[in-house]
Amino acid sequence: MKHRYLLLAGMLFFVLANLTAFAQQKTVSGSVADSKGNSLPGVNVIVKGTSSGTVTDAAGKYIISVPDGSKILVFSFIGYASKEIEVGNQTSVDVAMDEDVKQLAEVVVTALGIERSTKALQSSVTQVNGDNFTQARELGFANQLAGRVAGVNVTKIASGPAASTRVVIRGAKSLQGSNQPLYVIDGIPMDNTNFGQSGVWGGPDNGDGLNSLNPDDIQSITVLKGAASAALYGARAMNGVILVTTKKGTGRKGIGIEINSNLVTEKVIDYTDFQKQYGAGGYVGTTLANSVATKGSTVGDWGTAFNNGWNSQAWGPKFDGTGVVQPDGIVRPYSYAGDNWKRFYQTGVTATNSIALSGGSETQNFRFSYANLNNSGVVPNSGFKRNNFSLASNSKFGKRVTLVSKVLYSHEEAKNRPMISDSPGNAVQSLYNIPGDQNVELYKQGPKLGAVPVGMVTPDAKQVGEEFQPTNNLWGQNPYWAAHQFINSDVRDRVNASANLRYDITDFLYATGQAGMDWYTKRSENLTPQGTGYALQGGMSESEDRVREVNLQWTLGYDKTFGKIRANAFVGGNRMRRQSENINISGNGFNAPFLPFINNVASRNWGYGYGASGINSVFGSAEIAYDNYLFVTATARQDWFSVMDAKAGKNY
């Protein structure tokens, strides 16, 4: 039966891509040029106070959707003064931008955390201030890069809370692999593994590593686009690099306190245009499938919710208000039942609260922060919680030694990530297929939503039973059973820590040493409840992933000016070691009925995986500048790879 549902693959969760804060939208277009009338490609165009944005094309033209009530568009581009234009009732806005001499002298954070003047860069580097990620928030900070950086394509996957984000810089470079950039947090690479997407027969989006970061801790984000700008990170930077610099303490009098509270609501808007005049049912030749001479009085006549009951196959008779027996045995009018999307989906709410303390002197200072994020998704019984702690300290010992250390910790809990694509466990697909004359709420049934009681009682004194299915199509899921009885949850703890020690040997010669670790453990639980139509015995699985990457790095640098000539160079090396480990157990059926514990499964299957890899590298960079306007720059890196199999074990 599964092949029938492939017709809906790619369509089933599309409505979640249209989450909005209860607003209608209009389209605004125009062009951007400099003061001489020359077109400016790559200009960032943002709706002020939101994360909605775009960039101008090669001809300097843009098109952007603007929510009603949003009055201002912000135009920004490196080397030009930003402009804010009030839209009002206009649908066409052309802009002329003026050069900003001051901005040309700005510095940005580049590879290895080195700050350089923007006009000295030999490749494309774009920096985004951290304030842009705290105004109109999303669960993943990468989503808010959309429209802010030219050449960066951000795909927001509509697959529920804490979903993964696909970021591609300057287009795909390989037919295989993710094509996503390397993420570096305060000089330490961060693992951004995607833990699973839906396959041919469905499944959830299990998210990626970007959801661990707290936007309130971000000072700035720098995007290294070209091969030259990312060369110092070696082979892993072949798709570009996104550098995240977190906030640090500063010398001040007393203790500084920063408090932020943010509330975002979202709602599914129904952009479907289903017909509302005819009932559901299949059509074969000149005969309506599952029909009788007149509108029947038994369940199954003219098709039902899942058995020949596709909304896209509404070959049933015309609605006329006469009484018919519906799947729960109750006679109701044969008429359009109204909007089931509004009945089933709920308003999504994301509340974020954070506090940061900072203080100290010019030689010893700190910053400590705590943030709590609590999200309930638009799909009932789904959500995401995250607690972030961070501590940064700066210390100067005498005139020559500086120590900078940072620790970021996150605890994340994802509850019932929604299934997408094909039918198993997919509440959205079920909602999509309910006939127009049926109210989705008739599928609730029983004390536990979606269930038909069969006399069993759990330890918490709640009755349980089988899935309420009105047809013989076992793969057609009851939407409430899918949302409330299935379990697809995970918990992750993550630590990203780094320490950087710098010793100024002379006024122009220095040495640095850095050590950093990215470590996390992720525990997942999946349950197909006993009584599910296509799997009456049920089943469950649990797994745990552990990943650790350690980087050790050193550099020796030289920076000196001779009249109008400045020489800046450094050489260094890096040692990376990575270990990953997975253990899992799964089983079908339960020895004691209706007790969904992994130790209670009737049949058990174990799995274990271990991997280790390492990279040893040397790198260097040299720059010669004349009178701060003519620059000659060269960078190089060499990597040596090592991959050990599982037999190497913990001794690697």
Side-chain angles (χ1 to χ4, degrees):
M1 300 294 291
K2 288 185 177 179
H3 66 281
R4 301 174 60 186
Y5 294 89
L6 292 176
L7 297 173
L8 294 176
M11 297 174 58
L12 305 178
F13 223 79
F14 74 98
V15 291
L16 293 183
N18 297 292
L19 301 178
T20 182
F22 305 97
Q24 299 298 317
Q25 304 202 2
K26 66 179 178 181
T27 300
V28 177
S29 61
S31 61
V32 182
D34 61 18
S35 57
K36 298 179 181 179
N38 299 315
S39 299
L40 289 178
V43 176
N44 300 320
V45 186
I46 303 290
V47 180
K48 187 174 182 179
T50 75
S51 61
S52 176
T54 186
V55 294
T56 57
D57 60 19
K61 298 184 180 297
Y62 71 92
I63 299 176
I64 188 170
S65 295
V66 179
D68 286 347
S70 297
K71 304 295 184 181
I72 297 176
L73 290 179
V74 180
F75 298 81
S76 61
F77 192 53
I78 291 179
Y80 292 82
S82 297
K83 274 199 171 183
E84 296 188 358
I85 304 296
E86 187 169 348
V87 177
N89 295 323
Q90 301 178 82
T91 58
S92 178
V93 177
D94 296 330
V95 178
M97 300 188 71
D98 301 318
E99 290 188 2
D100 188 346
V101 178
K102 291 182 179 180
Q103 196 178 87
L104 290 173
E106 289 181 352
V107 296
V108 296
V109 177
T110 61
L112 304 181
I114 299 170
E115 292 186 349
R116 297 183 61 191
S117 170
T118 54
K119 62 182 180 181
L121 300 176
Q122 79 280 16
S123 56
S124 180
V125 174
T126 301
Q127 182 167 292
V128 182
N129 192 282
D131 292 341
N132 292 290
F133 301 95
T134 60
Q135 296 173 359
R137 295 173 185 257
E138 298 197 30
L139 285 181
F141 85 89
N143 289 335
Q144 294 177 269
L145 288 174
R148 299 185 187 277
V149 182
V152 176
N153 181 30
V154 180
T155 303
K156 305 176 183 180
I157 302 175
S159 49
S164 56
T165 302
R166 177 177 169 82
V167 179
V168 178
I169 300 175
R170 290 183 172 177
K173 301 172 180 62
S174 171
L175 295 177
Q176 298 180 340
S178 67
N179 284 295
Q180 295 207 62
L182 173 69
Y183 291 87
V184 180
I185 315 298
D186 295 321
I188 304 302
M190 183 189 77
D191 182 88
N192 191 40
T193 299
N194 183 289
F195 291 101
Q197 292 281 358
S198 63
V200 175
W201 307 119
D205 177 354
N206 286 317
D208 53 26
L210 298 181
N211 291 308
S212 299
L213 295 179
N214 171 28
D216 288 305
D217 287 334
I218 298 176
Q219 179 68 38
S220 66
I221 289 181
T222 305
V223 181
L224 309 181
K225 303 175 185 178
S229 63
L232 289 174
Y233 286 107
R236 294 203 292 175
M238 62 178 294
N239 297 316
V241 179
I242 293 181
L243 305 176
V244 179
T245 303
T246 61
K247 295 178 180 178
K248 59 183 179 180
T250 57
R252 58 172 297 130
K253 184 177 180 180
I255 300 296
I257 301 178
E258 178 185 344
I259 298 176
N260 287 309
S261 290
N262 187 275
L263 182 69
V264 176
T265 60
E266 52 190 13
K267 187 176 182 180
V268 172
I269 291 182
D270 181 9
Y271 285 115
T272 59
D273 188 21
F274 294 137
Q275 61 82 30
K276 303 174 183 178
Q277 300 181 43
Y278 295 89
Y283 186 78
V284 181
T286 59
T287 304
L288 289 171
N290 298 325
S291 67
V292 290
T294 60
K295 291 187 294 295
S297 59
T298 61
V299 175
D301 295 342
W302 301 103
T304 54
F306 307 110
N307 187 20
N308 294 323
W310 307 89
N311 270 329
S312 58
Q313 299 181 11
W315 297 100
K318 191 171 184 177
F319 292 144
D320 59 9
T322 57
V324 295
V325 178
Q326 292 196 340
D328 59 353
I330 298 176
V331 177
R332 295 185 179 89
Y334 185 66
S335 304
Y336 177 65
D339 191 344
N340 281 326
W341 303 94
K342 290 183 179 178
R343 296 186 181 111
F344 182 77
Y345 288 116
Q346 62 186 19
T347 299
V349 178
T350 303
T352 306
N353 296 284
S354 66
I355 183 171
L357 305 176
S358 60
S361 64
E362 292 297 329
T363 57
Q364 306 284 333
N365 54 66
F366 75 96
R367 181 181 185 273
F368 172 79
S369 72
Y370 165 71
N372 171 265
L373 180 147
N374 198 329
N375 163 271
S376 59
V378 293
V379 175
N381 202 38
S382 68
F384 179 71
K385 296 180 180 180
R386 184 182 67 210
N387 287 286
N388 291 89
F389 298 85
S390 71
L391 177 62
S393 66
N394 301 317
S395 302
K396 292 183 179 180
F397 304 95
K399 296 182 178 180
R400 299 189 179 276
V401 179
T402 303
L403 175 63
V404 178
S405 60
K406 295 182 179 181
V407 178
L408 307 177
Y409 169 73
S410 66
H411 175 78
E412 309 153 47
E413 299 179 11
K415 178 182 179 182
N416 289 343
R417 297 178 183 268
M419 300 286 187
I420 55 178
S421 188
D422 199 24
S423 61
N426 190 337
V428 176
Q429 186 195 49
S430 304
L431 186 67
Y432 183 86
N433 290 321
I434 291 176
D437 64 315
Q438 294 181 10
N439 184 325
V440 66
E441 293 181 349
L442 72 86
Y443 293 98
K444 286 184 176 180
Q445 301 293 317
K448 296 191 75 176
L449 294 181
V452 177
V454 294
M456 298 300 298
V457 178
T458 65
D460 58 4
K462 292 182 179 179
Q463 284 187 315
V464 294
E466 295 183 358
E467 177 183 7
F468 171 57
Q469 287 192 302
T471 76
N472 60 0
N473 184 346
L474 300 180
W475 295 98
Q477 210 79 66
N478 180 316
Y480 290 101
W481 180 271
H484 291 273
Q485 305 301 328
F486 275 70
I487 293 177
N488 178 39
S489 302
D490 54 79
V491 177
R492 178 167 58 181
D493 290 280
R494 185 172 202 147
V495 175
N496 188 290
S498 64
N500 189 303
L501 182 66
R502 173 174 171 139
Y503 176 58
D504 292 314
I505 303 171
T506 67
D507 292 340
F508 57 86
L509 188 65
Y510 64 89
T512 67
Q514 184 180 55
M517 179 186 70
D518 182 34
W519 170 91
Y520 65 83
T521 178
K522 178 175 181 285
R523 182 73 178 266
S524 303
E525 178 184 9
N526 294 273
L527 170 69
T528 300
Q530 189 172 354
T532 299
Y534 65 85
L536 289 176
Q537 298 304 311
M540 71 179 305
S541 64
E542 291 189 9
S543 65
E544 182 169 299
D545 292 275
R546 296 179 181 178
V547 176
R548 184 181 68 179
E549 179 176 317
V550 176
N551 281 268
L552 302 176
Q553 183 172 288
W554 64 269
T555 59
L556 180 65
Y558 176 90
D559 188 353
K560 191 170 184 179
T561 300
F562 305 91
K564 292 185 177 182
I565 298 176
R566 179 187 178 189
N568 185 356
F570 63 84
V571 294
N574 182 276
R575 181 182 186 272
M576 186 278 283
R577 293 295 182 268
R578 174 186 169 88
Q579 294 177 327
S580 61
E581 187 176 16
N582 170 273
I583 186 169
N584 60 81
I585 180 175
S586 61
N588 296 314
F590 296 94
N591 294 313
F594 302 106
L595 292 176
F597 306 119
I598 195 65
N599 285 337
N600 189 37
V601 294
S603 61
R604 299 181 188 179
N605 297 303
W606 296 84
Y608 177 78
Y610 177 83
S613 62
I615 303 177
N616 296 322
S617 311
V618 292
F619 52 81
S621 174
E623 174 186 288
I624 298 177
Y626 176 76
D627 203 17
N628 204 31
Y629 75 87
L630 182 62
F631 300 88
V632 178
T633 304
T635 58
R637 176 166 172 141
Q638 175 68 49
D639 290 335
W640 290 271
F641 299 88
S642 175
V643 178
M644 308 296 291
D645 60 24
K647 294 180 181 179
K650 306 281 186 173
N651 295 322
Y652 175 71

